[in-house]
Amino acid sequence: EPAMTGFRLLHVPWGLIGPSKTFVDLPDPRARPETQATIAPLLYCDDDQKVFLNGRIDTLECFASFRTRLQESRRTWDLPVPLRAEEPQSLRHATWRSDIVFRWAHGADRPAHWAEDWGDLAEPGGPAYNFLLAVLARMQDFEAALSDSKDPWDSVLERWIDPKVDRDPTMDILVRHAQEHRVRWVDIAEHPRRVLNRQRELVPLSRAQDLDTKCMQWLGRQPGETLAERAGGRQRVLALARFENRNTLENRVFRDLLERTVGAAREYLLLNAGRESGTSRRVTRYSLVQQYARECRRLSLELAEQGVTRATEVVQPNYVLLHDDRYRHVWTAWQEIIRRERAMDDLWRWQRRSWAEFCEATLVMSLLAAQSRPRLVAASPIFIRSEQRRGEWLLHDDPLAVITHEEKGWVVEVLGGNSHDVPDKMKEFGASVWLRVSDHAGGEYKYLPVWTVHCLRPDISLADLVESANEAYRMLRDKAMLVGAVVLQSMLDPHAPMTMLHAEHVTGFAFGPWDAQLPDALGSIGDDLSGRIEAAS
């Protein structure tokens, strides 16, 4: 049954029409195949039936849907990356009776949200996660530009080309917590809520006040007739002793909040490194979170010395967390930190889509940064989501931007991979972004596919990707409608130089959102695209 359905994991997007070596067939539902976690794969299905991942239908995100020349429906899906590389995933088609279970081999685990030993700018965990934080910082530049009522494309282009341009630290839930709760947390840590508990222990006879049934039974079994004789030579009896207990649910939640805040602050400080100097707003936000994290760490250690542990169980709030004047703020802040962590987990799962959205914005910036200096004539209104949705922050219509060169007479529209303005026969190419090219006279449309390949490991060869894409390009029948192709490979190493490779029809670029690579990448991509467009027009 699965072999007839034609499910395939695509290690590279152009595997839709490319050589069979780019496929990983899933022929047997009883098998446990591995997909090599080197490049984030797509899932290709030769029909439009429902697809279940881990038993749920809403786990996958549609990458592209189209019809073939025979009017047969096809669909490609984005696969989320598991938080743990060894975590198995189950896949099932609507027509199957059983699931196919597979796992990611040699993948990276999502790093923990906190660490016991914390420094001001200690890296949160690995090249892949730091890469995601850098992409997040770049996309938040759009939010900063819109909040300052500036043109997002001019403002963000200036920031991306010149790393020395001042950028404000981003607004985060941590900033609000530091502003509202710093004094409150100190007061709670210095005077935590205590309850009086009772336990049975041997106490001096003169201090014995409370006895329960078991204490009376113990006393009755002791030798002697009087109470003093039963107390023995040390004059001690088993009685109920009272003691103060600070390890209550509300204090455990409070300490868990402090530890999670330290981990979130590490991410924030790394995300905004280099933005801490300049205007008073920059100094205030960065230093405020930095000092707030240090205080949370100190308060957490003080609670640990008092015997307060972290909340590791599923928390069901008690009356104190819901209604106490001090601890109800703890409960609210704890829920907000949990939601922030879940958003970062979701960002890890959909990191391929984050790279694709960043590349779509990069293409607009690259065309504007080209030496021929084309002009932006129209752009879709951009809205920034309060939280990313499956790796994407920008909400806009297609085309994202329309760029023209008045002297040379060409017009380019930047379209999404699943845009309705892209013909179905082009969608078979599996591109993440399309450039639709025309001229001022209204000539026939031509297209330039852009593949955004996200690497989960740093040892991926750009030459192999370009060669495979070029082979797929030659296999396409309607080459007259294309003006070349581009591969944009993610680079996890922030210190490596930007790489550019040419093939017969395809140009490949390997870069990342880092200050050492992005300015060069914008100029090189823009010049290559302008040259291809001018040659076609």
Side-chain angles (χ1 to χ4, degrees), residues 119 197 199 323 483-484 499:
N197 287 11
Q199 66 181 12
H323 301 290
V483 294
T499 305

Side-chain angles (χ1 to χ4, degrees), residues 360-371:
E360 187 175 8
T362 299
L363 290 171
V364 179
M365 302 296 182
S366 300
L367 288 170
L368 297 178
Q371 292 182 357

Side-chain angles (χ1 to χ4, degrees), residues 164-169 272-284 286:
K164 297 181 180 179
V165 173
D166 291 335
R167 293 187 292 172
D168 294 336
N272 293 277
R275 305 184 184 188
E276 67 275 16
S277 61
T279 65
S280 59
R281 181 167 62 177
R282 297 188 186 96
V283 175
T284 300
Y286 190 91

Side-chain angles (χ1 to χ4, degrees), residues 64 116 118 149 172 232 236 242 263 275 295 317 395 534:
E116 293 299 328
W118 177 76
S149 301
D172 193 276
R236 291 177 177 271
R242 296 182 180 183
R275 305 184 184 188
E295 291 180 356
L395 189 64
E534 291 169 10

Side-chain angles (χ1 to χ4, degrees), residues 387-462:
E387 291 184 0
Q388 54 85 24
R389 180 193 174 276
R390 296 193 167 184
E392 296 183 347
W393 289 271
L394 303 183
L395 189 64
H396 59 84
D397 296 326
D398 266 337
L400 174 62
V402 180
I403 301 171
T404 184
H405 200 294
E406 297 179 356
E407 296 180 0
K408 300 181 179 179
W410 54 261
V411 180
V412 173
E413 301 170 76
V414 181
L415 303 171
N418 200 28
S419 173
H420 296 294
D421 294 324
V422 178
D424 283 352
K425 59 183 178 181
M426 292 290 119
K427 289 183 182 180
E428 295 182 15
F429 223 22
S432 300
V433 187
W434 287 91
L435 301 184
R436 186 166 67 172
V437 182
S438 61
D439 53 36
H440 292 172
E444 184 179 1
Y445 285 128
K446 294 186 178 181
Y447 297 87
L448 191 152
V450 179
W451 293 295
T452 61
V453 181
H454 177 53
C455 301
L456 302 177
R457 294 169 54 187
D459 55 348
I460 308 302
S461 171
L462 177 63

Side-chain angles (χ1 to χ4, degrees), residues 235-523:
Q235 290 296 290
R236 291 177 177 271
V237 296
L238 188 66
L240 294 176
R242 296 182 180 183
F243 68 96
E244 288 186 346
N245 180 19
R246 293 178 172 85
N247 194 29
T248 59
L249 175 63
E250 54 272 16
N251 288 331
R252 293 199 302 272
V253 171
F254 179 47
R255 191 187 168 199
D256 189 60
L257 166 65
L258 297 176
E259 290 287 346
R260 292 179 184 272
T261 299
V262 171
R266 290 193 315 149
E267 297 175 353
Y268 180 88
L269 295 177
L270 183 64
L271 188 66
N272 293 277
R275 305 184 184 188
E276 67 275 16
S277 61
T279 65
S280 59
R281 181 167 62 177
R282 297 188 186 96
V283 175
T284 300
R285 285 183 183 175
Y286 190 91
S287 60
L288 185 64
V289 172
Q290 192 176 44
Q291 186 176 0
Y292 178 58
R294 291 197 183 108
E295 291 180 356
C296 288
R297 184 62 174 164
R298 177 180 62 83
L299 297 177
S300 178
L301 293 175
E302 291 180 359
L303 289 175
E305 292 177 355
Q306 300 178 48
V308 178
T309 60
R310 294 185 57 179
T312 57
E313 71 277 13
V314 177
V315 177
Q316 182 68 29
N318 57 14
Y319 181 86
V320 178
L321 287 172
L322 293 177
H323 301 290
D324 186 270
D325 287 339
R326 298 191 304 167
Y327 282 93
R328 61 185 177 88
H329 297 287
V330 172
W331 176 244
T332 302
W334 185 81
Q335 289 178 301
E336 291 172 343
I337 285 293
I338 292 295
R339 283 196 294 268
R340 186 187 187 280
E341 291 180 358
R342 289 174 178 170
M344 297 305 292
D345 288 344
D346 200 44
L347 178 62
W348 177 268
R349 292 187 180 97
W350 299 101
Q351 49 190 284
R352 198 212 69 81
R353 287 168 57 85
S354 298
W355 172 246
E357 184 184 51
F358 170 75
C359 288
E360 187 175 8
T362 299
L363 290 171
V364 179
M365 302 296 182
S366 300
L367 288 170
L368 297 178
Q371 292 182 357
S372 58
R373 295 300 178 188
R375 186 169 62 91
L376 180 69
V377 294
S380 169
I382 296 178
F383 299 93
I384 308 295
R385 293 183 172 95
S386 57
E387 291 184 0
Q388 54 85 24
R389 180 193 174 276
R390 296 193 167 184
E392 296 183 347
W393 289 271
L394 303 183
L395 189 64
H396 59 84
D397 296 326
D398 266 337
L400 174 62
V402 180
I403 301 171
T404 184
H405 200 294
E406 297 179 356
E407 296 180 0
K408 300 181 179 179
W410 54 261
V411 180
V412 173
E413 301 170 76
V414 181
L415 303 171
N418 200 28
S419 173
H420 296 294
D421 294 324
V422 178
D424 283 352
K425 59 183 178 181
M426 292 290 119
K427 289 183 182 180
E428 295 182 15
F429 223 22
S432 300
V433 187
W434 287 91
L435 301 184
R436 186 166 67 172
V437 182
S438 61
D439 53 36
H440 292 172
E444 184 179 1
Y445 285 128
K446 294 186 178 181
Y447 297 87
L448 191 152
V450 179
W451 293 295
T452 61
V453 181
H454 177 53
C455 301
L456 302 177
R457 294 169 54 187
D459 55 348
I460 308 302
S461 171
L462 177 63
D464 293 342
L465 296 176
V466 172
E467 179 185 359
S468 179
N470 196 63
E471 182 179 351
Y473 191 102
R474 289 196 297 264
M475 294 172 62
L476 191 68
R477 298 177 181 176
D478 300 324
K479 294 186 182 65
M481 295 185 64
L482 297 178
V483 294
V486 171
V487 175
L488 301 182
Q489 176 191 355
S490 61
M491 182 177 288
L492 303 185
D493 187 358
H495 305 294
M498 187 272 299
T499 305
M500 178 179 178
L501 290 178
H502 289 285
E504 180 183 1
H505 303 289
V506 181
T507 305
F509 300 88
F511 68 101
W514 318 104
D515 290 340
Q517 302 165 1
L518 188 56
D520 293 337
L522 291 176

Side-chain angles (χ1 to χ4, degrees), residues 7 14 47-48 73 90 104 119 126 155 164 191 210 215 218 245 299 305 320 326 328 372 409 428 473 479-480 494 526:
F7 258 168
W14 51 86
D47 58 30
D48 57 356
S73 297
S90 62
W104 298 58
S155 177
K164 297 181 180 179
H191 306 91
D210 295 335
C215 293
W218 178 90
N245 180 19
L299 297 177
E305 292 177 355
V320 178
R326 298 191 304 167
R328 61 185 177 88
S372 58
E428 295 182 15
Y473 191 102
K479 294 186 182 65

